Amino acid sequence: MYDLILVRYGEMTLKKKNYRYFLQQMNRNIKAKLKKHPKLRFFNTDYRFYIYLNGEDYRPIIEQLNIVFGLSSYSLCVRADSDYDKIAEKAIELIKFEKKQALCTFKVETNRSDKTFPATSPEITKEVASRVLPHVSGLLVDVHNPDLTLHIDLRHEGTYIYINSIKGLGGFPGGVSGKGLLMLSGGIDSPVAGFLALKKGIDLVALHFASPPYTSDMALQKVIDLLQELVKYTAQDKIKLLIFPFTEIQEAIFENVDSIYNITIMRRQMYRIADIVCRKYDLDIIVNGESIGQVASQTIESMKVINEVTKLPIIRPLATYDKEEIIAIARKIGTFEVSTRPYEDCCTIFVPEHPVIKPKMERVEFQEIKCDFSNLINKAIDNIEVINLEKSKKYSIFEKMKISGNYEI
Ligand code: ATP
Ligand code: MG
């Protein structure tokens, strides 16, 4: 039925100065997602992107468009030469194909950007409507509240006709907003924070703190599976996961620090490490899933004390979200099911019963001098394990262990 897909760009139209750059990146990203469909032909103007299907099935194409950021909406169109009879003929076919009820009200809306066409938009609307109406049974005109609007986009290259506009993900094209380090746990929040950062065009590297044997291989596999849900939203279909060996640092905290400060100090070490990793991998910001007041370490007072160890900007996309709102996004993006698998995270071990909720800086600093944390951090940094995850490849740590002989069945 359809000849092409008309894609409308999103919020980037606000970005006057960067517009051209955004546009190019957006077009590159769409083409990259569709590279497995060599028959497609692309064409763009300043505000739109056209995908000519050339006989390809539209369904796998729109599946890809639904995971591209920077896209405001798209429409499945038919094309006709700019001639009333030809437009009407295609319009009749399209309405019959998309009309759901036996009785259906409709209106025609025309946009004439080809100013050489010798009629005004209202005239075109009238001419087309009068040719369409007698040929579709059960169709009535209602210009105020129609069930169906037939859009006629009369352009220099031809006329595009469509009925529905499907909403895209919005945001900015992947890769236009620099690079960030996503602190990724196995919980519900951090994958959602990662998704929202990707939505604003930030490329991500993920950092996970693992504390084996207190945290299990299953907990690590959960993090990998979460990233494999997120990877499809990246522009390159790839994401790097850094696994930081956190065990000794956590044990040192447990042994040396007054227990009510455990969490505050553990979080400060996490940020110190994130800061070093950002510099090492040339990343501009830290992204995490903290949400104000969610737990003791996420009160404003705690955040202030914890944040103090780094000068890098920390983006907390979920800072003001309620848990329910976060869960709704997690379900939509496909991470919720993985996040709710029952494995422990390093944050859930060694947790004191009554962690301090309003830590004082002098007391925290006093606790920290009890142990040479920077030495432990420097040692562990060299033992970070790197996994390069790709959309099309499933990664199983158990397979890897079998191959390396470290895993016994
Ligand atoms: P939950 O949905 O259970 O709240 P969470 O991932 O948000 O999961 P929190 O204890 O609230 O867990 O942690 C706050 C943030 O700190 C996380 O969103 C994440 O960005 C970061 N974080 C926590 N644990 C880890 C970890 N093991 N590795 C990397 N980052 C972590
Ligand atoms: Mg949380």
Side-chain angles (χ1 to χ4, degrees), residues 189 289 294 298 323:
D189 301 335
Q294 197 183 76
Q298 292 167 39
K323 195 75 185 188

Side-chain angles (χ1 to χ4, degrees), residues 183-185 188-189 209 267 288-289 294 298 323 345 347:
M183 293 169 67
L184 183 68
S185 69
I188 295 168
D189 301 335
F209 296 96
R267 309 283 307 167
N288 72 34
Q294 197 183 76
Q298 292 167 39
K323 195 75 185 188
D345 179 59
C347 282

Side-chain angles (χ1 to χ4, degrees), residues 249-309:
I249 295 167
Q250 274 202 287
E251 284 173 342
I253 294 170
F254 184 68
E255 280 157 23
N256 295 291
V257 167
D258 282 352
S259 70
I260 58 163
Y261 287 100
N262 274 4
I263 298 287
T264 314
I265 289 175
M266 181 189 74
R267 309 283 307 167
R268 277 168 64 95
Q269 306 313 329
M270 283 183 168
Y271 277 117
R272 285 199 173 100
I273 294 159
D275 185 287
I276 298 171
V277 170
C278 280
R279 290 172 208 287
K280 187 168 166 182
Y281 284 85
D282 198 20
L283 307 171
D284 312 304
I285 56 168
I286 297 171
V287 179
N288 72 34
E290 288 173 340
S291 185
I292 297 166
Q294 197 183 76
V295 286
S297 61
Q298 292 167 39
T299 61
I300 294 288
E301 294 84 351
S302 285
M303 282 186 179
K304 204 170 141 201
V305 170
I306 292 166
N307 209 147
E308 197 266 344
V309 301

Side-chain angles (χ1 to χ4, degrees), residues 256-258 261 265 268 360-371 373:
N256 295 291
V257 167
D258 282 352
Y261 287 100
I265 289 175
R268 277 168 64 95
K360 296 272 169 301
M361 190 67 83
E362 324 75 69
R363 299 210 185 144
V364 170
E365 282 169 349
F366 172 73
Q367 294 294 326
E368 276 179 353
I369 50 173
K370 293 178 179 177
C371 175
F373 286 111

